[in-house]
Amino acid sequence: MLKSRTFLKKTRAGGVMKIVREHYLRDDIGCGASGCAACGGAHEGPVLEPQPLDRVSSLCPQPHYLLPDTNVLLHQIDVLEDPAIRNVIVLQTVLQEVRNRSAPVYKRIRDVTNNQEKHFYTFTNEHHRETYVEQLQGETSNDRNDRAIRAAAKWYNEHLKKMSAENQLRVIFITNDRKNKEKAIEEGIPAFTCEEYVKSLTANPELIDRLACLSEEGNEIESGKIIFSEHLPLSKLQQGIKSGTYLQGTFRASRENYLEATVWVHGDTEDNKEIILQGLKNLNRAIHEDIVAVELLPKNQWVAPSSVVLLDEGQNEDDMEKEEERECILKTAVSEKMLKPTGRVVGIIRRNWRPYCGMLSKSDIKESRRHLFTPADKRIPRIRIETRQASTLEGQRIIVAIDGWPRNSRYPNGHFVKNLGEVGDKETETEVLLLEHDVPHQPFSQAVLSLLPKMPWSITEKDMKNREDLRHLCVCSVDPPGCTDIDDALHCRELESGNLEVGVHIADVSHFIRPGNALDQESARRGTTVYLCEKRIDMVPELLSSNLCSLRSNVDRLAFSCIWEMNHNAEILKTRFTKSVINSKASLTYAEAQMRIDSATMNDSITTSLRGLNKLAKILKKGRIENGALTLSSPEVRFHMDSETHDPIDLQTKELRETNSMVEEFMLLANISVAKKIHEEFSEHALLRKHPAPPPSNYEILVKAAKSKNLEIKTDTAKALADSLDQADSLTFPYLNTLLRILATRCMMQAVYFCSGMDTDFHHYGLASPIYTHFTSPIRRYADIIVHRLLAVAVGADCTYPELTDKHKLADLCKNLNFRHKMAQYAQRASVAFHTQLFFKSKGIVSEEAYILFVRKNALVVLIPKYGLEGTVFFEEKDKPKPRLTYDDEIPSLKIEDTVFHIFDKVKVKIMLDSSNLQHQKIRMSLVEPEIPGISVPTDTSNMDISEPERKKKKLQK
C-alpha cells in the first residue's frame, strides 16, 4: 500500500517547489515474537523469546515484553543495557528520534539490538499497515510520535492475544511522561514509569542504582538554598552570542584548581581567545568539555590565572562559606599585565557528559543511601549518587553517569552504571585509563574479522600487478626489542655509477584494508595503536599487525617503497615510489644494528648496508640541524618487568643509540618526499602534518629560567632557538642543557594532521620542513593508510574513491585522528604513572637528586633524572604549620623561610608512594636538601608510614 505526502517548499530563488514523498505500508512485517503463527517468521535477526520468564515483576507477574518510549531510551540506556533486561521492542519511531537527538546513545542501542542474548527486536512500525499513524492537523510531531508509540503498543497487545490466549503474553509500555502514561492507561495499555517497573523487579535490586534521576525535586540538598544563578534558555543565549553580549566556547576545567577554569572561545577572534573563570558561582555548574555561553566581566573584575594548587577534598560537605574562603586565596595582588579577560557562565549550549570512572566516598551517616562519587579525572566535580551497595562498592573502581545539576546543589546528581573491579588491581586500572582516555579497546567485531585474508596466505599473481619484485635486495629492519608490528625496513647499495641507492620499504597495509569496509571504518575510528607499559591496543587485528603486514625477516611481504638515488654527500638525485614485494634479510634491534656497525670483523652485506645508511644519516641530520630543526628532549622511561608477576622491578630512562637516529633520519626523509609528491598531485586534498610555531608568550618561562642561570635563549626563529640551545652549556652543570631542552619541549604546540585544501600554513616548526606528512607507520597510524592511498593513486598503483578527494571529509577525519593521537599520548603517560607507582610501592622510600622544572606559589615541580620522573613538592599541607612563602613571578623564584629556589636548582627529595587516598594514589615528594628547619625531612625515614589504614592495606595486598 502506498501513501504519499505532499508539501510545498520555498526555493532560494523565491520560487515554490512541490515535493511529493512516497511512503510504503506493508503487511509482511513480523512482530518479532518467535513462534508467532500469524507472522510466519517474517522477522529477521534477533527475536523475542516466546516465553519471557527471566524477569519477575511484582507489578506484572505474567510473561511480558517491554516497549520503551524515546526518553526512556535516551536517559535510561544504562538500565536497558543491564543483562537483567531482555525482550524489549524498540520501535522505528523511537529509534529515529534517538538517532536525531544523541549519536552515542543511538550507537549503544544498535549494539544492544545486535546482541542475540538480549532479545531486543526492532519493529518497523512506521511501515506497518496497522501501526502507521498520520499526523493530524494542528498536532505537533512530538504528539504524533507519542500517539504512534501508543498505537504500536496497543496493536502488539491485541496481536499477542491471538497468538497466546492461554498464557496472557503482554506488552508493557514504559514511559516517564505523565500525560503519555495516563493516555496509554485510558486506551487500555499497561503502562509504568521506568522507576516503577525497575523497583518492581524484586530479584534485581541492583538495577535501582542504575536509574538516572531526572526529576530535580526530591534530590535537592536539605538546605534547599539557591547556590547558582539560573542558566539562560538556548534562544536567549543564541541571541546574545549573535549580538556579541555573550561568547561561545569550550569549558576546560583545571586539574590543579577546582575553583578555576578557562573557556576557549570559538571563532577567529584573536582577542579574548581564552577567558578565565574563577569561583564556583562563575563556573555555574559547567563541566569539563561542555559548550558554554560566557559573559565577560568588567575589566575591574578581571583576574590572573592562579598559581595555587587546590583540590576539592572535603568530605560530603555543602559548606559554601568554606568555598568562599578558598576563593579569596585565589585573589592575590598581581601586576596589571598579568590580568586576563575574565567571565562567568550564563548558560549551557551543549553538555558533553560521558560515563566517568572513579571511586565512592562513602557517607559518614549510617544507613545513608546518598554518597559522593569522586571521579578519577580531577577536572570533573564530585557526583552525588544514591546506592544500596555502598559497602560492596567501597574500595572498587566504578563508573557513574551524571543526570543533572540542580541550582541548589553543590554537586551534580548521577547514578551508578558499573563496577570495574578492585582499586590498584592491574587489569582494573588499565581498564580505567583506557575508558578515561576514550581509547576504543573492545575486541574486533565479527564483521571486521570476516574481512581478513584466509590463512595460509601467500602472494598471488594478481597481487603482483603494478608491483616491483625487490626480493633480491638486502633489506633489513631495525626496531626496539620485542617489536612484532614492524612497519619499516631499509636498504642501501652502491650503483654502477658510483652513486648510492637507498630504499625505505613500508608495510603495504592499504592492500589489505580496502576503503569503506568494516575493517577500514574500525581502523579509522581507532586512529592509532596505543602502547601501554604492558599492553598494546592494536589499530588493526593482530593477523595483520603482527603477521601479514609486519615486515618480518625471511618471509615475502608486500611493501610500498620510496627509493632514492643519492651521491655520497646524501644529496638526492632521483626519487621514485613503487608498490613492491620484499624479503627482509634480518630483523634487528637498535643494539644489534649498532653492534654490527661498530664491529671490526663483520663485513657481510647487511652490515655494509647499515654502515652506508648510518654514514648518510649523519650527513642528513647535520643538514637538518643547520636548517634550524630542533633537537628537544623528554625524559622517557623503560620498565623492566618481573617475568612471573609482570610487576616493574627496575625503572630507567631509555638509552638512545646512533641507530635510533639513523632510522629516524630516513623515516623523516621518506615522509617529506611523500608529502611533496602527494601535494603535487592533490593540491586540495593531501593529508599533511604541520607543527605550528609557538606564540612568543609560550617561551617566557624558558627565557626567564635560562636568564636565572646567566644564559640567553633566543626564540625569534626555530634556528635561533636551536643555536642558542646548542650554546647553552655549563661546565659546572652538564645536565643543564638537557633540562633546557626538556623545558623547551613544554613550550611547543601540538603537531596536527590537516587537509591541504583547508589551510595555507604547512610549515613543520620542529623539523624546519616546509611540508611534512606521515607515511612510515601504517600498521599503527590510520593517517599513514590515507597517505598510502593518495600516493598509490599518484603513481598509478591503485584507483581513487570519492571520500579520498573530498576535502571536507578529509578535514573531519583529521579532527578525529588528532583527538585519538592526543588521547593515546595521555593514556600512555597514565600507564607510565601507574607502573611508576607499582615500582615505588615495592621499593619503599628512596631519596634521589632532582632538578626544579617550575616554581609555583606553594610548591616546586621537580624532575628526577635517574627515573625520568616528575613530581610536585608541596609546602602547604593540611594540619601542619604554614611556612613563610614568597613567590616572585618575574624571576621566577620561591622563597621558603630564608631559602630561595630558582628553576634548574638542584635539590634532594624523598620519594614514596602515598596511598592515603586510594583513588589518587600518588608519588609524594618531600624536600631533604637543602635543609630548612621544620620543612625538609630527614633522609632516615624508617619510622615513617603514610599508607592507608591497615584494613585498606590488607585489601590492596590481596
Side-chain angles (χ1 to χ4, degrees), residues 733-782:
F733 186 1
Y735 194 65
L736 178 63
N737 192 267
T738 308
L739 285 170
L740 282 165
R741 289 180 195 276
I742 289 171
L743 203 53
T745 308
R746 306 293 167 90
C747 302
M748 293 299 142
M749 307 290 281
Q750 190 82 35
V752 288
Y753 296 112
F754 69 102
C755 169
S756 59
M758 307 289 275
D759 212 321
T760 49
D761 174 23
F762 294 5
H763 193 75
H764 195 294
Y765 180 80
L767 297 171
S769 174
I771 193 165
Y772 191 67
T773 192
H774 272 163
F775 163 76
T776 54
S777 296
I779 296 177
R780 60 188 177 89
R781 289 189 306 231
Y782 187 75

Side-chain angles (χ1 to χ4, degrees), residues 318-487:
D318 288 305
D319 186 351
M320 287 308 293
E321 283 173 27
K322 200 159 190 180
E323 301 297 357
E324 280 156 19
E325 264 175 52
R326 286 184 143 201
E327 284 172 24
C328 292
I329 302 171
L330 306 183
K331 296 173 176 50
T332 44
V334 282
S335 64
E336 195 79 9
K337 68 176 174 53
M338 297 292 290
L339 298 176
K340 294 273 165 77
T342 308
R344 67 183 188 97
V345 170
V346 290
I348 309 289
I349 291 160
R350 191 175 78 239
R351 288 288 193 190
N352 271 330
W353 296 341
R354 59 179 176 84
Y356 301 104
C357 300
M359 285 182 73
L360 197 70
S361 309
K362 198 170 165 224
S363 169
D364 295 337
I365 305 163
K366 218 178 170 192
E367 301 300 315
S368 172
R369 285 182 184 175
R370 274 196 209 165
H371 308 274
L372 278 180
F373 161 84
T374 308
D377 186 340
K378 290 181 181 173
R379 294 169 301 191
I380 307 299
R382 295 196 290 168
I383 302 162
R384 187 178 274 107
I385 67 167
E386 282 199 30
T387 176
R388 290 151 184 74
Q389 354 171 25
S391 307
T392 322
L393 297 178
E394 220 184 346
Q396 302 284 305
R397 289 280 196 184
I398 64 173
I399 297 179
V400 160
I402 297 179
D403 301 324
W405 194 340
R407 287 175 61 198
N408 54 358
S409 172
R410 166 70 182 81
Y411 298 110
N413 293 324
H415 65 274
F416 167 77
V417 174
K418 188 181 175 186
N419 185 355
L420 294 173
E422 195 169 340
V423 68
D425 172 73
K426 214 177 297 181
E427 288 298 311
T428 305
E429 296 300 333
T430 302
E431 178 74 4
V432 167
L433 73 88
L434 290 171
L435 287 167
E436 278 299 291
H437 295 97
D438 197 8
V439 174
H441 60 287
Q442 307 74 12
F444 288 99
S445 70
Q446 217 37 58
V448 169
L449 298 175
S450 67
L451 293 162
L452 295 174
K454 303 289 172 274
M455 297 300 285
W457 174 85
S458 60
I459 295 170
T460 63
E461 224 172 281
K462 191 183 167 195
D463 296 334
M464 289 304 294
K465 198 182 166 206
N466 298 326
R467 220 174 259 283
E468 261 185 67
D469 191 337
L470 302 179
R471 285 176 280 199
H472 60 285
L473 292 177
C474 184
V475 170
C476 68
S477 62
V478 185
D479 289 282
C483 176
T484 60
D485 51 345
I486 303 169
D487 284 292

Side-chain angles (χ1 to χ4, degrees), residues 282-297:
N282 289 338
L283 302 179
N284 197 4
R285 297 171 288 154
I287 288 170
H288 185 64
E289 291 294 346
D290 282 349
I291 307 296
V292 298
V294 288
E295 177 182 46
L296 267 184
L297 296 174

Side-chain angles (χ1 to χ4, degrees), residues 612-858:
L613 288 165
N614 196 37
K615 192 176 155 200
L616 291 169
K618 286 178 178 174
I619 301 169
L620 288 169
K621 186 171 184 176
K622 187 168 176 277
R624 264 192 331 107
I625 288 168
E626 280 169 5
N627 234 353
L630 297 172
T631 312
L632 300 175
S633 183
S634 68
E636 284 198 69
V637 292
R638 164 157 283 150
F639 293 95
H640 293 273
M641 301 294 184
D642 184 299
S643 55
E644 296 284 315
T645 63
H646 295 288
D647 282 343
I649 46 176
D650 194 13
L651 172 65
Q652 62 189 53
T653 49
K654 287 184 188 173
E655 187 186 341
L656 293 177
R657 296 180 171 83
E658 256 185 20
T659 43
N660 290 71
S661 179
M662 174 188 85
V663 173
E664 186 188 1
E665 284 309 315
F666 287 107
M667 295 308 117
L668 293 174
L669 191 61
N671 286 334
I672 292 167
S673 298
V674 170
K676 286 175 183 167
K677 178 71 178 172
I678 61 172
H679 184 245
E680 224 170 78
E681 293 288 329
F682 307 103
S683 60
E684 284 292 292
H685 41 258
L687 191 154
L688 302 174
R689 187 164 175 83
K690 67 170 181 175
H691 182 216
S697 59
N698 279 30
Y699 285 128
E700 270 176 24
I701 188 77
L702 176 69
V703 173
K704 284 178 183 177
K707 197 177 172 187
S708 70
K709 295 287 175 236
N710 300 318
L711 292 168
E712 187 186 5
I713 298 285
K714 293 194 172 76
T715 61
D716 11 343
T717 63
K719 176 97 178 92
L721 175 64
D723 291 346
S724 50
L725 282 171
D726 287 343
Q727 288 154 19
D729 265 336
S730 164
L731 294 171
T732 54
F733 186 1
Y735 194 65
L736 178 63
N737 192 267
T738 308
L739 285 170
L740 282 165
R741 289 180 195 276
I742 289 171
L743 203 53
T745 308
R746 306 293 167 90
C747 302
M748 293 299 142
M749 307 290 281
Q750 190 82 35
V752 288
Y753 296 112
F754 69 102
C755 169
S756 59
M758 307 289 275
D759 212 321
T760 49
D761 174 23
F762 294 5
H763 193 75
H764 195 294
Y765 180 80
L767 297 171
S769 174
I771 193 165
Y772 191 67
T773 192
H774 272 163
F775 163 76
T776 54
S777 296
I779 296 177
R780 60 188 177 89
R781 289 189 306 231
Y782 187 75
D784 303 52
I785 293 179
I786 296 291
V787 169
H788 275 229
R789 288 175 183 167
L790 288 163
L791 185 63
V793 175
V795 300
D798 207 341
C799 48
T800 185
Y801 58 99
E803 282 81 2
L804 195 64
T805 52
D806 181 331
K807 63 181 184 182
H808 297 286
K809 289 241 170 80
L810 213 53
D812 288 342
L813 178 72
C814 289
K815 196 175 170 185
N816 178 53
L817 294 178
N818 291 331
F819 171 72
R820 292 289 177 211
H821 276 264
K822 187 169 75 176
M823 285 304 160
Q825 227 176 358
Y826 291 161
Q828 283 154 7
R829 284 181 204 161
S831 179
V832 168
F834 174 63
H835 280 79
T836 307
Q837 288 172 13
L838 287 181
F839 171 70
F840 282 106
K841 186 177 178 184
S842 59
K843 197 161 178 67
I845 297 168
V846 294
S847 292
E848 290 295 344
E849 281 183 352
Y851 294 99
I852 298 172
L853 273 185
F854 302 103
V855 292
R856 301 271 186 254
K857 258 186 193 169
N858 58 347

